[in-house]
RNA sequence: UACCCCGUGGUGUAAUCGGUAACACGUCUGACUCUGACUCAGACAUCCCAGGUUCGAGUCCUGGCGGGGUAACCA
């Protein structure tokens, strides 16, 4: 395992609480199982983009291996060419690396097709598998009813011949299957003579047309684990019922040391969906702009949104691993990002909804470059100079012609601080004749408060960010809200589509936002804190030097908005 | 319906051989503050229910109740 190079906000493995899987691995090592070795694997099927739920599995598999000096492989579970594509193979590798992990070996289940087939012939010879002529419907019904297939007692020689003819392409797709001969009366459905091979003529992204026979998940997965020497095969809960079959196959092929399958609960998150099928629908039906739409819970979407690998890893560490089906609150994810970025994102002043301010007693044409702290949480980040002048922009939200007394911002007669600038007092304002909205605010400044401190130590409650009108850069800013309007979008009555729960206001783009000039050198990799707003980054795909587009990753906590919302709420 | 798994504060997790509920986030209070941010302090749990074993049970046993998964030639 190679450790990620960058610093982790997650205080590297300090007294991490052991989950039941780590507990189990620890016990296995103490018992000397597998000679104390630990080899895990992350086994995605290349049929979609990775999402935050996969991050949980990646952090578990790679993280666990790293903690105990073990190894972890990346293995593509490419046994169903009809849904898989190379595009996904590339994106998955990029996403795993971006998250901060490097695999010890890269494999494909298709690497093992020949070996798997050889084993299948062995099982046939030993009478542990047979060729079944039942069609899909009959087969399913037979398994449900626990009824033996009429082909179950076919002789080994005939089975072997038929299997070879299947492989040679003599039969139509779906005409026959190879089935394990286990127990049609087993209470566990998976043991009722499960299918090992189906005939499927689909070009495979790696093996091309060399096979018209593809192994099922059950017949490929444990065997792949065994071939790689996996010690702990960690998967999600829905495979729990498959474990007896996993173990049966391993015994049948006679591996010396069995990998141990362990299941954990997959991640559920509020206000989004985390199933590949549903995410694929969002993309295919054009409800989002693509897999990397910043509202998507995909790793590529989160990356574009402004999430950092550190934040995602911190999130995965915080949510833990268990067998209980649970739903994690989205704020947990957002908070992991805030915690990460608060410590390292440079601060910058940006006015999203500009309102013009004129300082009546400030000399026209004068410009002062005032010193601003880049990151109060990190003195090493230093300072920068921001230009100040007679005309500024402030946030529309920061002025009210009429306001309650707990409104600390600018209102007639009230003094506030312009961050790193001066104290100013509102002396007047102008309204738009048509809309009644303020279009200009007049203030007077106190020259003695340069830099934002008053010599007489008088206090002002409010501090506003601002941008000099003469120096402002312009940009568009994209603000995203939850993709779905309900916490559990999949909870819909029968007949109702979960897409009905999409949030129609999940995407908003502000134009004409005013930025301090230092942002001229912004890069897509850099995350900024727009003071009093949140964390933002340049959109890696749509921003242009001549037309900047910033993306908000997450807003700052907003106690004032919460307070006001509460007071304004109807009684 | 059958089989399997699970059930600890609002949420997500923890509690080595049974010893008297911990951590994170959230929420509410308050303090601090040149970001109504950050930070800091305090508050918030009848451990699903009912019996049983025990000096003592979230932990063990029995029976309920509740939730989830599976019942593809998907993974």
């Amino acid at each position: 395992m190679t450790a990620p190079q960058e610093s982790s906000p997650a205080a590297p493995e300090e007294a991490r609480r052991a989950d039941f899987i780590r507990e189990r691995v620890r016990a296995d090592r103490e018992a000397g199982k597998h000679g104390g070795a630990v080899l895990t694997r992350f086994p995605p099927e290349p049929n979609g983009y990775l999402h935050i739920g996969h991050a949980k599995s990646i952090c578990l598999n790679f993280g666990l291996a790293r903690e105990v000096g073990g190894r972890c492989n990346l293995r593509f579970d490419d046994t169903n060419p009809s849904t898989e594509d190379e595009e996904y193979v590339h994106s998955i590798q990029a996403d795993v690396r971006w998250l901060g992990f490097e695999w010890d070996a890269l494999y494909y289940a298709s690497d093992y097709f020949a070996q798997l087939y050889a084993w299948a012939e062995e099982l046939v010879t030993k009478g542990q598998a047979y060729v079944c002529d039942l069609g899909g419907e009959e087969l399913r019904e037979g398994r449900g009813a626990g009824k033996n297939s009429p082909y179950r007692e076919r002789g080994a020689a005939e089975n072997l011949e038929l299997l070879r003819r299947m492989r040679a392409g003599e039969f139509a797709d779906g005409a026959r299957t190879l089935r394990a001969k286990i127990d049609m009366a087993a209470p566990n459905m998976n043991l009722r003579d499960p299918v090992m091979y189906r005939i499927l003529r689909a070009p495979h992204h790696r093996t091309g047309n060399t096979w018209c026979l593809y192994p099922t998940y059950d017949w490929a997965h444990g065997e792949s684990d065994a071939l790689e020497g996996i010690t702990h095969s960690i998967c999600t809960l829905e495979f729990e019922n498959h474990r007896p079959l996993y173990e049966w196959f391993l015994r049948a092929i006679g591996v010396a040391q069995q990998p141990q399958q362990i299941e954990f609960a997959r991640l559920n998150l509020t206000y989004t969906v985390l199933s590949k099928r549903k995410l694929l629908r969002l993309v295919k039906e054009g409800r989002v702009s693509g897999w990397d739409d910043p509202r998507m819970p995909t790793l590529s979407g989160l990356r574009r949104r402004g999430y950092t690998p550190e934040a995602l890893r911190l999130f995965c560490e915080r949510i833990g691993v268990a067998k209980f089906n649970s739903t994690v609150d989205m704020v947990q994810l957002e908070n992991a990002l805030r915690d990460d970025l608060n410590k390292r994102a440079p601060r910058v002043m940006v006015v999203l909804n500009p309102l013009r301010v004129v300082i009546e007693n400030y000399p026209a044409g004068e410009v002062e470059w005032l010193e601003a702290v880049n990151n109060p949480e990190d003195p090493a980040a230093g300072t920068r100079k921001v230009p100040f002048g007679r005309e500024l922009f402030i946030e529309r939200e920061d002025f009210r012609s009429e306001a309650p007394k707990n409104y600390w911002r600018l209102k007639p007669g009230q003094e506030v601080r312009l961050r790193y600038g001066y104290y100013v007092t509102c002396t007047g304002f102008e309204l738009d004749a048509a809309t009644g909205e303020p279009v200009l605010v007049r203030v007077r400044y106190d020259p003695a408060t340069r830099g934002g401190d008053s010599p007489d130590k008088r206090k002002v409650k409010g501090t506003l960010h601002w941008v000099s009108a003469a120096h402002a850069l312009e940009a568009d800013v994209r603000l995203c809200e939850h993709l779905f309007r309900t916490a559990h979008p999949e909870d819909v009555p029968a007949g109702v589509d979960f897409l009905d729960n999409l949030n129609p206001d999940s995407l908003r783009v502000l134009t004409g936002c005013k930025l301090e000039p230092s942002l001229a050198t912004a890069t897509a990799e850099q995350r900024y804190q727009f003071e009093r707003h949140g964390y933002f980054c340049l959109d890696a795909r749509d921003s242009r030097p001549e037309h900047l587009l910033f993306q908000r990753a997450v807003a700052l906590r907003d106690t004032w908005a919460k307070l006001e919302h509460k007071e304004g709420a109807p009684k």
Side-chain angles (χ1 to χ4, degrees), chain A residues 368-372 384-388 419-422 450-451 466:
Chain A
E368 289 181 272
W369 288 80
L370 302 167
E371 187 166 61
R384 69 185 184 288
K385 298 285 193 181
V386 288
F388 186 88
R419 184 148 227 229
Y420 304 125
Y422 292 93
R450 188 177 197 274
W466 50 272

Side-chain angles (χ1 to χ4, degrees), chain A residues 204-333:
Chain A
H204 187 281
H205 67 104
R206 297 196 76 235
T207 61
N209 293 311
T210 63
W211 295 90
C212 62
L213 222 51
Y214 291 98
T216 55
Y217 166 86
D218 287 310
W219 170 234
H221 201 89
E223 291 49 55
S224 303
D225 285 342
L227 285 166
E228 292 174 22
I230 299 298
T231 58
H232 302 269
S233 182
I234 301 168
C235 61
T236 43
L237 250 29
E238 66 268 29
F239 294 104
E240 217 160 16
N241 290 340
H242 292 240
R243 196 180 341 125
L245 177 56
Y246 179 100
E247 291 168 352
W248 188 92
F249 275 135
L250 254 16
R251 276 197 306 274
I253 62 172
V255 300
Q257 202 146 40
Q258 284 211 1
Q260 177 62 52
Q261 177 179 308
I262 306 173
E263 311 86 12
F264 71 98
R266 63 165 1 114
L267 172 69
N268 295 297
L269 250 193
T270 55
Y271 297 101
T272 191
V273 293
L274 248 33
S275 94
K276 278 199 212 171
R277 209 195 103 259
K278 293 192 170 94
L279 292 174
L280 182 65
R281 267 195 72 193
L282 288 166
V283 173
K284 291 281 188 245
E285 296 180 22
R287 315 305 282 256
V288 294
S289 63
W291 288 102
D292 67 345
D293 185 297
R295 293 165 296 175
M296 290 282 274
T298 51
L299 296 187
S300 51
L302 290 166
R303 181 192 322 156
R304 194 171 158 206
R305 172 84 171 247
Y307 270 81
T308 60
E310 292 83 356
L312 261 26
R313 279 188 258 125
L314 175 61
F315 168 74
C316 289
E317 188 176 308
R318 284 178 176 177
I319 59 173
V321 176
K323 296 195 73 161
F324 181 63
N325 275 292
S326 60
T327 302
V328 176
D329 198 316
M330 183 67 94
V331 301
Q332 196 87 234
L333 215 208

Side-chain angles (χ1 to χ4, degrees), chain A residues 31 39 45 82 129 132 141 174 206 218 254 276 292 309 334 356 402 405 412-413 415 440 445 470 523 530:
Chain A
L39 211 203
E45 183 187 15
S82 60
C132 179
E141 279 171 14
R206 297 196 76 235
D218 287 310
K276 278 199 212 171
D292 67 345
E334 297 172 342
R356 195 169 284 269
E402 290 174 53
K405 69 171 186 311
E415 183 171 51
L440 180 78
Y445 84 118
T523 63
F530 288 6

Side-chain angles (χ1 to χ4, degrees), chain A residues 548-564:
Chain A
L548 297 177
L549 172 63
F550 280 87
Q551 165 73 46
R552 183 177 70 190
V554 65
L556 254 29
R557 283 198 192 82
D558 191 348
T559 308
W560 167 243
K562 204 179 293 173
L563 215 187
E564 254 212 325

Side-chain angles (χ1 to χ4, degrees), chain A residues 362-548:
Chain A
Y362 194 88
E366 180 162 338
V367 175
E368 289 181 272
W369 288 80
L370 302 167
E371 187 166 61
V373 175
N374 286 330
N375 186 349
E377 304 285 323
D378 176 17
T383 60
R384 69 185 184 288
K385 298 285 193 181
V386 288
F388 186 88
R390 181 180 158 89
E391 292 203 16
L392 310 170
F393 291 112
I394 64 165
E395 215 63 60
R396 301 198 78 86
E397 282 200 334
D398 288 340
F399 170 76
R400 284 192 198 173
S401 53
E402 290 174 53
K405 69 171 186 311
N406 64 347
Y407 183 82
W408 309 339
R409 284 112 98 144
L410 210 53
K411 59 186 174 188
Q414 183 149 288
E415 183 171 51
V416 300
R417 171 170 36 234
L418 294 177
R419 184 148 227 229
Y420 304 125
Y422 292 93
Y423 284 16
V424 297
T425 304
C426 178
T427 53
F429 57 91
E430 290 172 18
L431 299 179
D432 181 282
T435 65
E437 290 293 307
V439 290
L440 180 78
V441 178
R442 300 189 185 284
V443 302
R444 295 182 68 81
Y445 84 118
D446 176 357
T449 57
R450 188 177 197 274
D453 277 311
S454 68
D456 62 4
K457 295 296 170 216
R458 72 177 185 275
K459 300 285 183 193
V460 287
K461 203 74 162 124
T463 298
L464 273 42
H465 62 278
W466 50 272
V467 172
S468 163
H471 304 82
L473 302 176
E474 289 221 346
D476 289 358
V477 173
R478 185 159 54 211
L479 308 177
C480 298
E481 303 292 335
H482 295 147
L483 224 200
F484 290 88
R485 48 152 68 118
T486 56
H488 306 280
E490 288 157 301
D491 284 359
V492 285
V496 176
D497 192 347
F498 77 100
L499 290 180
D500 290 359
N501 286 325
L502 274 169
N503 175 8
D505 305 316
S506 60
L507 191 62
R508 198 152 51 101
V509 177
L510 304 176
T511 58
C513 303
K514 310 292 186 182
L515 328 178
E516 67 167 67
S518 74
L519 246 7
T521 56
T523 63
E525 289 69 42
Q526 183 65 256
R527 271 88 216 224
Y528 297 92
Q529 184 194 101
F530 288 6
E531 292 213 43
R532 306 209 297 134
H533 282 305
Y535 298 97
F536 296 73
C537 64
L538 217 49
D539 185 274
R541 220 176 64 179
D542 296 341
S543 189
R544 299 282 174 275
E546 67 283 4
H547 194 156
L548 297 177

